Structures are given as C-alpha cells and as structure tokens.
C-alpha cells in the first residue's frame, strides 16, 4: 500500500509506560511487543517526510469525580494520570521536536483535541495508524478519523492488545466498516 508522504501522517496511539512497560498498571505483553514494529514504522515515515503524531492518554486525577456514566477509572482502575511516569511515551519511541503530540482524555484522539485541525492545516489526508490497544483507543481513533473524511489505515502487525481476538476484532471491524488494513511490510511511502 503506497502513501504520499506529503499527505500522510503516521499516528502512534498511546504507546505509553502505563500500557507498554512491564511496570505499567495496564501492561499487556503484546503492547510491549508492539514497540519494535511501531518504531520501525515511525522511522520509515520520518525518513520519507511524513508527519508523525503521538497520542497520549492522560487523565487528571479528578477527571471522573463528577461522572454520570463515563468513568474509565471505574472500568480500568486509575491509570496514566497527568504528570505520572505511566503517562509518558515509552523511551524506545523517541518523540522529536517536529512531531505532534496529542493529549487526549478519552479513547478517541479526535474528541476535544486539536488533531483534526492540525492534520487539515497541513494537508494530511491519509493516516497510517498503529499503537495500543487495538480494540479500544486505536479502533475509536481510526473510526473517528474515517467519519472526518481522513483515510484511516490500521497496521495490523504494529498493534498492542490484551487478547489476540481483540486485535482480530479491531482489524476486521476497521477493514469492514470505515478504513483499510495493511501490514508493516506492505507500507510504502513514495
């Protein structure tokens, strides 16, 4: 699958210590295993001149105190709180000054962030999406991208997950409903 680097961003979803490091509160081994393929994809995108976007799931400790229904701490326990080591992107993925970092407070990286405007202002049309968790933040971000008329392409072998069937569900759902899927070896920047 070929991408024009001038119209493409590699979107790295939530590759943070809390999810990808063995000491993280929501660590899942497949998320740690996704670091290497994600790093490879980022490096290839950078070399070609594509934009690189990192999302960080960050929660102020009081975020859900007045929640009526939506409370991630209730579902997952307290995680990736603002200012914590858990909220930082893993050391193996170097964020550079010209990369764009999006702090999000939900599963969807477009919800109440600057991501859509930032991408549109730079003429980005295609999003090569990788990261963790496949069936949560990756899937919600990719679906939201499609609804905003970006072309979301999920890189199925550069995803973290808890259970293998979660990854399979996310990949199948993305391919069937709102985007496309590919593998790392099939990503080409022209």
């Amino acid at each position: 699958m070929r991408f024009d680097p001038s119209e493409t961003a590699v979107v790295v979803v939530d590759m943070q210590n809390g999810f990808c490091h063995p000491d993280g509160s929501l660590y899942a081994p497949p998320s740690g295993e996704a670091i290497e393929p994600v790093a490879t994809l980022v490096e290839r995108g950078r070399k070609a001149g594509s934009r690189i976007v990192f999302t960080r799931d960050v929660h102020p400790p009081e975020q859900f105190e007045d929640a009526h229904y939506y409370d991630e701490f209730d579902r997952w326990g307290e995680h990736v709180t603002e200012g914590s080591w858990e909220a930082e992107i893993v050391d193996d993925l170097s964020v550079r000054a010209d990369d764009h970092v999006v702090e999000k407070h939900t599963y969807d990286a477009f919800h109440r962030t600057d991501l859509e405007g930032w991408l549109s202002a730079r003429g980005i049309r295609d999003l090569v999406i990788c990261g963790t968790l496949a069936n949560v933040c990756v899937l919600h971000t990719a679906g939201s991208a499609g609804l905003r008329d970006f072309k979301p392409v999920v890189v199925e072998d550069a995803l973290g997950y808890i259970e293998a069937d979660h990854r399979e569900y996310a990949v199948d759902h993305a391919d069937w409903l709102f985007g496309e899927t590919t593998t790392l070896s099939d990503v080409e920047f022209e």
Side-chain angles (χ1 to χ4, degrees):
M1 186 172 281
R2 294 182 179 205
F3 298 93
D4 177 346
S6 67
E7 296 182 350
T8 303
V10 175
V11 179
V12 179
V13 178
D14 299 355
M15 294 296 288
Q16 297 163 256
N17 291 323
F19 308 123
C20 302
H21 190 282
D23 294 332
S25 64
L26 294 178
Y27 171 67
S31 293
E33 293 162 11
I35 295 170
E36 186 177 331
V38 167
T40 299
L41 185 59
V42 167
E43 190 54 39
R44 287 172 51 197
R46 277 191 181 128
K47 195 175 203 176
S50 287
R51 300 289 186 146
I52 308 299
V53 175
F54 287 92
T55 73
R56 290 178 58 228
D57 192 35
V58 178
H59 301 294
E62 70 282 353
Q63 180 178 350
F64 304 108
E65 284 179 3
D66 296 325
H68 168 68
Y69 176 75
Y70 176 71
D71 184 341
E72 285 187 36
F73 288 174
D74 188 42
R75 174 170 295 282
W76 301 97
E78 194 168 305
H79 62 285
V80 294
T81 54
E82 194 170 57
S84 71
W85 167 84
E86 281 206 344
E88 297 304 315
I89 294 169
V90 294
D91 289 340
D92 294 332
L93 297 173
S94 59
V95 179
R96 296 186 181 171
D98 58 342
D99 296 338
H100 187 58
V101 179
V102 175
E103 281 197 7
K104 63 187 189 60
H105 305 293
T106 69
Y107 304 137
D108 174 1
F110 287 92
H111 182 73
R112 295 185 180 174
T113 71
D114 71 344
L115 183 55
E116 181 175 9
W118 189 90
L119 294 168
S120 295
R122 287 154 182 79
I124 302 300
R125 300 165 50 100
D126 298 336
L127 306 182
V128 179
I129 302 174
C130 58
T132 200
L133 288 167
N135 64 321
V136 184
C137 295
V138 170
L139 186 61
H140 284 276
T141 296
S144 194
L147 294 174
R148 288 167 168 80
D149 202 32
F150 295 100
K151 178 182 174 182
V153 180
V154 175
V155 183
E156 58 188 81
D157 52 352
L159 299 175
Y161 51 90
I162 296 172
E163 302 286 338
D165 59 339
H166 295 169
R167 185 187 74 76
E168 291 169 25
Y169 165 78
V171 169
D172 290 346
H173 190 72
D175 191 46
W176 178 74
L177 188 58
F178 56 75
E180 297 183 33
T181 61
T182 191
T183 60
L184 183 58
S185 63
D186 287 338
V187 173
E188 294 180 31
F189 297 95
E190 16 179 77

